[in-house]
Amino acid sequence: QVQLVESGGGLVQPGVSLRLSCFAFGTISYVMVWYRHAPGKQRELVATVTVVGITNYAESVKGRFTISRDSAKNTVYLQMNSLRPEDTAIYYCASNLIGGRWSYWGQGTQVTVSS
């Protein structure tokens, strides 16, 4: 059993940065991911990171977001720079891909980018 807890969201102006954290109670998986879900849009896979640090990003965030993990702290981070209004969404971390579905999800953290 794994419990994921996100933090770090907030209301910010365009152009600023935020860092989201996802702390895991339990053993996290080889691959950890961040998703986001904006109102009226489909859930979007934002970034992935493996236990050895291999990363992948959605085209919409490449060059602006950085995913990382600290295995000693059981935590995955999402550094978000140059935020835009279209980044507004609830951000979720997930782990343990089994049968093509992520088994564990956090409760989400709201990110709102607005002037």
Short mmCIF file of all heavy atoms in Angstrom, two decimals, residues 5-59:
data_model
loop_
_atom_site.label_atom_id
_atom_site.label_comp_id
_atom_site.label_asym_id
_atom_site.label_seq_id
_atom_site.Cartn_x
_atom_site.Cartn_y
_atom_site.Cartn_z
N VAL A 5 1.10 12.15 -1.02
CA VAL A 5 0.61 13.44 -0.55
C VAL A 5 1.34 14.55 -1.28
O VAL A 5 2.55 14.71 -1.14
CB VAL A 5 0.83 13.59 0.97
CG1 VAL A 5 0.30 14.95 1.44
CG2 VAL A 5 0.13 12.47 1.73
N GLU A 6 0.57 15.33 -2.08
CA GLU A 6 1.15 16.45 -2.82
C GLU A 6 1.06 17.73 -2.00
O GLU A 6 0.17 17.89 -1.16
CB GLU A 6 0.43 16.69 -4.15
CG GLU A 6 0.41 15.51 -5.09
CD GLU A 6 -0.88 14.75 -5.05
OE1 GLU A 6 -1.54 14.80 -3.99
OE2 GLU A 6 -1.24 14.10 -6.05
N SER A 7 1.98 18.64 -2.29
CA SER A 7 1.95 19.96 -1.68
C SER A 7 2.68 20.94 -2.59
O SER A 7 3.38 20.53 -3.52
CB SER A 7 2.61 19.94 -0.30
OG SER A 7 3.97 19.56 -0.41
N GLY A 8 2.51 22.23 -2.29
CA GLY A 8 3.26 23.24 -3.01
C GLY A 8 2.48 24.06 -4.01
O GLY A 8 3.02 25.00 -4.61
N GLY A 9 1.21 23.72 -4.21
CA GLY A 9 0.41 24.49 -5.15
C GLY A 9 0.07 25.87 -4.60
O GLY A 9 0.37 26.19 -3.45
N GLY A 10 -0.56 26.68 -5.45
CA GLY A 10 -0.96 28.00 -5.00
C GLY A 10 -1.42 28.86 -6.15
O GLY A 10 -1.53 28.41 -7.29
N LEU A 11 -1.70 30.12 -5.81
CA LEU A 11 -2.10 31.13 -6.79
C LEU A 11 -0.90 32.02 -7.07
O LEU A 11 -0.36 32.64 -6.14
CB LEU A 11 -3.26 31.95 -6.25
CG LEU A 11 -3.66 33.20 -7.04
CD1 LEU A 11 -4.13 32.81 -8.44
CD2 LEU A 11 -4.75 33.97 -6.30
N VAL A 12 -0.48 32.04 -8.33
CA VAL A 12 0.70 32.83 -8.69
C VAL A 12 0.43 33.61 -9.97
O VAL A 12 -0.50 33.30 -10.72
CB VAL A 12 1.94 31.94 -8.90
CG1 VAL A 12 2.32 31.24 -7.60
CG2 VAL A 12 1.72 30.94 -10.02
N GLN A 13 1.27 34.61 -10.20
CA GLN A 13 1.17 35.39 -11.42
C GLN A 13 1.95 34.72 -12.54
O GLN A 13 2.87 33.93 -12.29
CB GLN A 13 1.72 36.80 -11.18
CG GLN A 13 0.86 37.62 -10.23
CD GLN A 13 1.32 39.06 -10.16
OE1 GLN A 13 2.48 39.37 -10.39
NE2 GLN A 13 0.39 39.96 -9.84
N PRO A 14 1.59 35.00 -13.77
CA PRO A 14 2.35 34.45 -14.90
C PRO A 14 3.83 34.81 -14.81
O PRO A 14 4.19 35.92 -14.40
CB PRO A 14 1.69 35.10 -16.12
CG PRO A 14 0.32 35.43 -15.66
CD PRO A 14 0.43 35.80 -14.21
N GLY A 15 4.65 33.83 -15.18
CA GLY A 15 6.09 34.06 -15.23
C GLY A 15 6.84 33.62 -14.00
O GLY A 15 8.08 33.51 -14.05
N VAL A 16 6.12 33.37 -12.91
CA VAL A 16 6.83 32.98 -11.69
C VAL A 16 6.99 31.46 -11.63
O VAL A 16 6.57 30.75 -12.53
CB VAL A 16 6.12 33.51 -10.44
CG1 VAL A 16 5.98 35.02 -10.51
CG2 VAL A 16 4.78 32.84 -10.27
N SER A 17 7.61 31.00 -10.54
CA SER A 17 7.91 29.58 -10.39
C SER A 17 7.20 28.99 -9.17
O SER A 17 6.89 29.72 -8.21
CB SER A 17 9.41 29.36 -10.24
OG SER A 17 10.11 29.83 -11.37
N LEU A 18 6.96 27.71 -9.23
CA LEU A 18 6.47 26.94 -8.09
C LEU A 18 7.18 25.59 -8.10
O LEU A 18 7.55 25.08 -9.16
CB LEU A 18 4.97 26.68 -8.19
CG LEU A 18 3.97 27.73 -7.73
CD1 LEU A 18 2.55 27.24 -8.00
CD2 LEU A 18 4.16 28.07 -6.27
N ARG A 19 7.32 25.01 -6.92
CA ARG A 19 7.82 23.65 -6.83
C ARG A 19 6.80 22.79 -6.09
O ARG A 19 6.47 23.08 -4.93
CB ARG A 19 9.16 23.57 -6.12
CG ARG A 19 9.77 22.15 -6.23
CD ARG A 19 11.14 22.04 -5.60
NE ARG A 19 11.11 21.92 -4.16
CZ ARG A 19 12.09 21.40 -3.42
NH1 ARG A 19 13.18 20.94 -4.03
NH2 ARG A 19 11.99 21.35 -2.12
N LEU A 20 6.33 21.78 -6.76
CA LEU A 20 5.42 20.82 -6.15
C LEU A 20 6.20 19.65 -5.58
O LEU A 20 7.23 19.25 -6.14
CB LEU A 20 4.41 20.31 -7.19
CG LEU A 20 3.61 21.34 -7.96
CD1 LEU A 20 2.61 20.65 -8.89
CD2 LEU A 20 2.91 22.30 -7.03
N SER A 21 5.70 19.12 -4.49
CA SER A 21 6.30 17.94 -3.86
C SER A 21 5.26 16.85 -3.74
O SER A 21 4.07 17.12 -3.54
CB SER A 21 6.84 18.29 -2.48
OG SER A 21 7.83 19.29 -2.54
N CYS A 22 5.73 15.62 -3.85
CA CYS A 22 4.87 14.45 -3.67
C CYS A 22 5.60 13.50 -2.74
O CYS A 22 6.60 12.88 -3.14
CB CYS A 22 4.57 13.79 -5.00
SG CYS A 22 3.73 12.21 -4.88
N PHE A 23 5.13 13.42 -1.50
CA PHE A 23 5.75 12.53 -0.53
C PHE A 23 4.99 11.22 -0.51
O PHE A 23 3.76 11.20 -0.50
CB PHE A 23 5.75 13.16 0.86
CG PHE A 23 6.30 12.25 1.91
CD1 PHE A 23 7.66 12.04 2.02
CD2 PHE A 23 5.47 11.56 2.78
CE1 PHE A 23 8.19 11.19 2.98
CE2 PHE A 23 5.97 10.71 3.74
CZ PHE A 23 7.34 10.52 3.84
N ALA A 24 5.75 10.12 -0.48
CA ALA A 24 5.14 8.78 -0.49
C ALA A 24 5.33 8.07 0.83
O ALA A 24 6.45 7.95 1.33
CB ALA A 24 5.74 7.95 -1.60
N PHE A 25 4.22 7.63 1.40
CA PHE A 25 4.26 6.71 2.53
C PHE A 25 4.22 5.32 1.93
O PHE A 25 3.23 4.90 1.37
CB PHE A 25 3.05 6.94 3.44
CG PHE A 25 3.01 8.27 4.11
CD1 PHE A 25 2.37 9.34 3.52
CD2 PHE A 25 3.63 8.47 5.34
CE1 PHE A 25 2.33 10.58 4.14
CE2 PHE A 25 3.59 9.70 5.96
CZ PHE A 25 2.94 10.77 5.36
N GLY A 26 5.32 4.61 2.05
CA GLY A 26 5.41 3.30 1.43
C GLY A 26 6.47 3.30 0.35
O GLY A 26 7.12 4.30 0.10
N THR A 27 6.61 2.18 -0.30
CA THR A 27 7.64 2.02 -1.32
C THR A 27 7.13 2.51 -2.67
O THR A 27 6.15 2.00 -3.19
CB THR A 27 8.05 0.54 -1.45
OG1 THR A 27 8.51 0.08 -0.18
CG2 THR A 27 9.16 0.39 -2.48
N ILE A 28 7.81 3.51 -3.21
CA ILE A 28 7.38 4.04 -4.50
C ILE A 28 7.99 3.24 -5.62
O ILE A 28 8.97 2.53 -5.43
CB ILE A 28 7.70 5.54 -4.64
CG1 ILE A 28 9.20 5.80 -4.44
CG2 ILE A 28 6.89 6.34 -3.65
CD1 ILE A 28 9.59 7.24 -4.64
N SER A 29 7.40 3.36 -6.78
CA SER A 29 7.72 2.49 -7.89
C SER A 29 8.89 3.02 -8.72
O SER A 29 9.37 4.13 -8.52
CB SER A 29 6.50 2.31 -8.79
OG SER A 29 6.01 3.54 -9.24
N TYR A 30 9.33 2.20 -9.67
CA TYR A 30 10.42 2.54 -10.56
C TYR A 30 10.14 3.84 -11.31
O TYR A 30 11.02 4.67 -11.48
CB TYR A 30 10.65 1.40 -11.54
CG TYR A 30 11.75 1.63 -12.54
CD1 TYR A 30 13.07 1.38 -12.19
CD2 TYR A 30 11.46 2.09 -13.82
CE1 TYR A 30 14.09 1.60 -13.11
CE2 TYR A 30 12.48 2.31 -14.73
CZ TYR A 30 13.78 2.06 -14.37
OH TYR A 30 14.78 2.28 -15.27
N VAL A 31 8.91 4.00 -11.72
CA VAL A 31 8.52 5.21 -12.44
C VAL A 31 7.50 5.98 -11.61
O VAL A 31 6.55 5.41 -11.08
CB VAL A 31 7.91 4.88 -13.81
CG1 VAL A 31 7.50 6.17 -14.54
CG2 VAL A 31 8.89 4.09 -14.65
N MET A 32 7.74 7.26 -11.48
CA MET A 32 6.79 8.16 -10.83
C MET A 32 6.38 9.22 -11.84
O MET A 32 7.18 9.61 -12.69
CB MET A 32 7.43 8.83 -9.61
CG MET A 32 7.80 7.88 -8.51
SD MET A 32 6.35 7.20 -7.67
CE MET A 32 5.68 8.67 -6.90
N VAL A 33 5.14 9.68 -11.71
CA VAL A 33 4.63 10.63 -12.70
C VAL A 33 3.87 11.77 -12.05
O VAL A 33 3.39 11.64 -10.92
CB VAL A 33 3.70 9.92 -13.71
CG1 VAL A 33 4.45 8.84 -14.46
CG2 VAL A 33 2.47 9.34 -13.02
N TRP A 34 3.79 12.86 -12.79
CA TRP A 34 2.89 13.97 -12.46
C TRP A 34 1.89 14.10 -13.60
O TRP A 34 2.27 14.12 -14.78
CB TRP A 34 3.66 15.28 -12.32
CG TRP A 34 4.39 15.44 -11.04
CD1 TRP A 34 5.70 15.20 -10.80
CD2 TRP A 34 3.85 15.92 -9.80
NE1 TRP A 34 6.02 15.48 -9.50
CE2 TRP A 34 4.90 15.94 -8.85
CE3 TRP A 34 2.58 16.34 -9.38
CZ2 TRP A 34 4.73 16.35 -7.53
CZ3 TRP A 34 2.41 16.76 -8.07
CH2 TRP A 34 3.48 16.75 -7.16
N TYR A 35 0.62 14.19 -13.23
CA TYR A 35 -0.45 14.50 -14.15
C TYR A 35 -1.05 15.84 -13.75
O TYR A 35 -0.86 16.31 -12.63
CB TYR A 35 -1.57 13.45 -14.06
CG TYR A 35 -1.38 12.20 -14.85
CD1 TYR A 35 -0.68 11.12 -14.32
CD2 TYR A 35 -1.94 12.07 -16.12
CE1 TYR A 35 -0.53 9.95 -15.05
CE2 TYR A 35 -1.80 10.89 -16.85
CZ TYR A 35 -1.10 9.85 -16.30
OH TYR A 35 -0.95 8.68 -17.02
N ARG A 36 -1.81 16.42 -14.67
CA ARG A 36 -2.62 17.57 -14.32
C ARG A 36 -3.97 17.47 -15.00
O ARG A 36 -4.10 16.85 -16.05
CB ARG A 36 -1.92 18.89 -14.69
CG ARG A 36 -1.73 19.12 -16.18
CD ARG A 36 -0.93 20.41 -16.38
NE ARG A 36 -0.69 20.69 -17.80
CZ ARG A 36 0.07 21.69 -18.23
NH1 ARG A 36 0.68 22.49 -17.35
NH2 ARG A 36 0.23 21.88 -19.53
N HIS A 37 -4.95 18.10 -14.37
CA HIS A 37 -6.31 18.07 -14.89
C HIS A 37 -6.90 19.46 -14.77
O HIS A 37 -7.10 19.97 -13.65
CB HIS A 37 -7.16 17.06 -14.10
CG HIS A 37 -8.43 16.71 -14.79
ND1 HIS A 37 -9.37 15.88 -14.24
CD2 HIS A 37 -8.93 17.09 -16.00
CE1 HIS A 37 -10.39 15.75 -15.07
NE2 HIS A 37 -10.13 16.49 -16.14
N ALA A 38 -7.11 20.07 -15.91
CA ALA A 38 -7.70 21.41 -15.95
C ALA A 38 -9.19 21.30 -16.25
O ALA A 38 -9.63 20.37 -16.94
CB ALA A 38 -7.01 22.25 -17.01
N PRO A 39 -9.99 22.24 -15.78
CA PRO A 39 -11.44 22.22 -16.03
C PRO A 39 -11.75 22.17 -17.53
O PRO A 39 -11.17 22.93 -18.31
CB PRO A 39 -11.93 23.53 -15.41
CG PRO A 39 -10.91 23.87 -14.39
CD PRO A 39 -9.60 23.39 -14.95
N GLY A 40 -12.60 21.25 -17.92
CA GLY A 40 -13.00 21.16 -19.31
C GLY A 40 -11.99 20.49 -20.23
O GLY A 40 -12.20 20.44 -21.45
N LYS A 41 -10.90 20.00 -19.65
CA LYS A 41 -9.87 19.35 -20.46
C LYS A 41 -9.62 17.93 -19.97
O LYS A 41 -9.96 17.59 -18.83
CB LYS A 41 -8.56 20.14 -20.40
CG LYS A 41 -8.65 21.53 -21.00
CD LYS A 41 -7.29 22.21 -20.97
CE LYS A 41 -7.35 23.59 -21.58
NZ LYS A 41 -6.02 24.26 -21.55
N GLN A 42 -9.01 17.13 -20.83
CA GLN A 42 -8.64 15.78 -20.42
C GLN A 42 -7.42 15.83 -19.51
O GLN A 42 -6.60 16.75 -19.58
CB GLN A 42 -8.33 14.93 -21.65
CG GLN A 42 -9.56 14.52 -22.44
CD GLN A 42 -9.23 13.48 -23.49
OE1 GLN A 42 -8.12 13.44 -24.01
NE2 GLN A 42 -10.19 12.63 -23.80
N ARG A 43 -7.33 14.82 -18.66
CA ARG A 43 -6.15 14.71 -17.81
C ARG A 43 -4.91 14.56 -18.69
O ARG A 43 -4.93 13.84 -19.69
CB ARG A 43 -6.30 13.51 -16.88
CG ARG A 43 -5.24 13.37 -15.84
CD ARG A 43 -5.57 12.26 -14.88
NE ARG A 43 -5.66 10.98 -15.58
CZ ARG A 43 -6.16 9.88 -15.03
NH1 ARG A 43 -6.62 9.91 -13.80
NH2 ARG A 43 -6.20 8.75 -15.71
N GLU A 44 -3.84 15.23 -18.31
CA GLU A 44 -2.63 15.27 -19.13
C GLU A 44 -1.44 14.74 -18.33
O GLU A 44 -1.22 15.16 -17.19
CB GLU A 44 -2.34 16.71 -19.57
CG GLU A 44 -1.09 16.86 -20.41
CD GLU A 44 -0.76 18.32 -20.74
OE1 GLU A 44 -1.25 19.22 -20.05
OE2 GLU A 44 0.00 18.55 -21.70
N LEU A 45 -0.69 13.85 -18.94
CA LEU A 45 0.56 13.39 -18.34
C LEU A 45 1.61 14.47 -18.54
O LEU A 45 1.96 14.79 -19.67
CB LEU A 45 1.00 12.08 -18.97
CG LEU A 45 2.35 11.51 -18.50
CD1 LEU A 45 2.34 11.26 -17.00
CD2 LEU A 45 2.69 10.24 -19.26
N VAL A 46 2.10 15.02 -17.45
CA VAL A 46 3.01 16.16 -17.51
C VAL A 46 4.46 15.71 -17.57
O VAL A 46 5.23 16.20 -18.41
CB VAL A 46 2.80 17.08 -16.30
CG1 VAL A 46 3.82 18.20 -16.29
CG2 VAL A 46 1.38 17.62 -16.29
N ALA A 47 4.85 14.80 -16.68
CA ALA A 47 6.25 14.41 -16.60
C ALA A 47 6.38 13.06 -15.93
O ALA A 47 5.55 12.69 -15.08
CB ALA A 47 7.05 15.45 -15.83
N THR A 48 7.45 12.34 -16.31
CA THR A 48 7.75 11.06 -15.69
C THR A 48 9.22 11.03 -15.29
O THR A 48 10.07 11.68 -15.94
CB THR A 48 7.47 9.88 -16.62
OG1 THR A 48 8.40 9.92 -17.71
CG2 THR A 48 6.06 9.93 -17.17
N VAL A 49 9.53 10.26 -14.26
CA VAL A 49 10.92 10.08 -13.84
C VAL A 49 11.10 8.65 -13.36
O VAL A 49 10.26 8.12 -12.62
CB VAL A 49 11.32 11.09 -12.74
CG1 VAL A 49 10.49 10.91 -11.48
CG2 VAL A 49 12.81 11.00 -12.43
N THR A 50 12.21 8.03 -13.79
CA THR A 50 12.50 6.68 -13.32
C THR A 50 13.41 6.75 -12.10
O THR A 50 13.93 7.82 -11.74
CB THR A 50 13.20 5.86 -14.41
OG1 THR A 50 14.53 6.35 -14.57
CG2 THR A 50 12.46 5.93 -15.73
N VAL A 51 13.63 5.61 -11.49
CA VAL A 51 14.45 5.56 -10.29
C VAL A 51 15.90 5.94 -10.59
O VAL A 51 16.63 6.38 -9.68
CB VAL A 51 14.37 4.17 -9.64
CG1 VAL A 51 15.10 3.13 -10.48
CG2 VAL A 51 14.88 4.18 -8.22
N VAL A 52 16.33 5.82 -11.85
CA VAL A 52 17.70 6.18 -12.21
C VAL A 52 17.75 7.58 -12.83
O VAL A 52 18.78 8.00 -13.33
CB VAL A 52 18.33 5.15 -13.17
CG1 VAL A 52 18.47 3.82 -12.46
CG2 VAL A 52 17.52 5.01 -14.45
N GLY A 53 16.63 8.28 -12.79
CA GLY A 53 16.64 9.68 -13.19
C GLY A 53 16.34 9.98 -14.65
O GLY A 53 16.51 11.11 -15.10
N ILE A 54 15.86 9.00 -15.37
CA ILE A 54 15.46 9.25 -16.76
C ILE A 54 14.10 9.95 -16.76
O ILE A 54 13.17 9.51 -16.08
CB ILE A 54 15.38 7.93 -17.55
CG1 ILE A 54 16.75 7.27 -17.60
CG2 ILE A 54 14.86 8.19 -18.97
CD1 ILE A 54 16.74 5.88 -18.18
N THR A 55 14.02 11.04 -17.49
CA THR A 55 12.81 11.86 -17.46
C THR A 55 12.18 12.01 -18.84
O THR A 55 12.85 11.89 -19.86
CB THR A 55 13.13 13.26 -16.92
OG1 THR A 55 14.13 13.87 -17.75
CG2 THR A 55 13.65 13.19 -15.49
N ASN A 56 10.89 12.28 -18.83
CA ASN A 56 10.15 12.62 -20.05
C ASN A 56 9.12 13.67 -19.71
O ASN A 56 8.60 13.70 -18.58
CB ASN A 56 9.46 11.39 -20.63
CG ASN A 56 10.39 10.57 -21.50
OD1 ASN A 56 10.79 10.99 -22.57
ND2 ASN A 56 10.74 9.39 -21.01
N TYR A 57 8.81 14.51 -20.71
CA TYR A 57 7.90 15.62 -20.48
C TYR A 57 6.90 15.76 -21.60
O TYR A 57 7.18 15.44 -22.76
CB TYR A 57 8.70 16.93 -20.38
CG TYR A 57 9.69 16.96 -19.24
CD1 TYR A 57 11.01 16.58 -19.44
CD2 TYR A 57 9.30 17.36 -17.96
CE1 TYR A 57 11.93 16.59 -18.41
CE2 TYR A 57 10.20 17.37 -16.92
CZ TYR A 57 11.52 16.99 -17.15
OH TYR A 57 12.42 17.00 -16.11
N ALA A 58 5.75 16.30 -21.26
CA ALA A 58 4.80 16.71 -22.28
C ALA A 58 5.39 17.88 -23.05
O ALA A 58 6.13 18.70 -22.49
CB ALA A 58 3.49 17.12 -21.62
N GLU A 59 5.04 17.98 -24.32
CA GLU A 59 5.58 19.06 -25.14
C GLU A 59 5.22 20.43 -24.56
O GLU A 59 5.99 21.38 -24.67
CB GLU A 59 5.05 18.93 -26.57
CG GLU A 59 5.69 17.84 -27.40
CD GLU A 59 7.18 18.05 -27.62
OE1 GLU A 59 7.60 19.22 -27.80
OE2 GLU A 59 7.93 17.06 -27.59
#
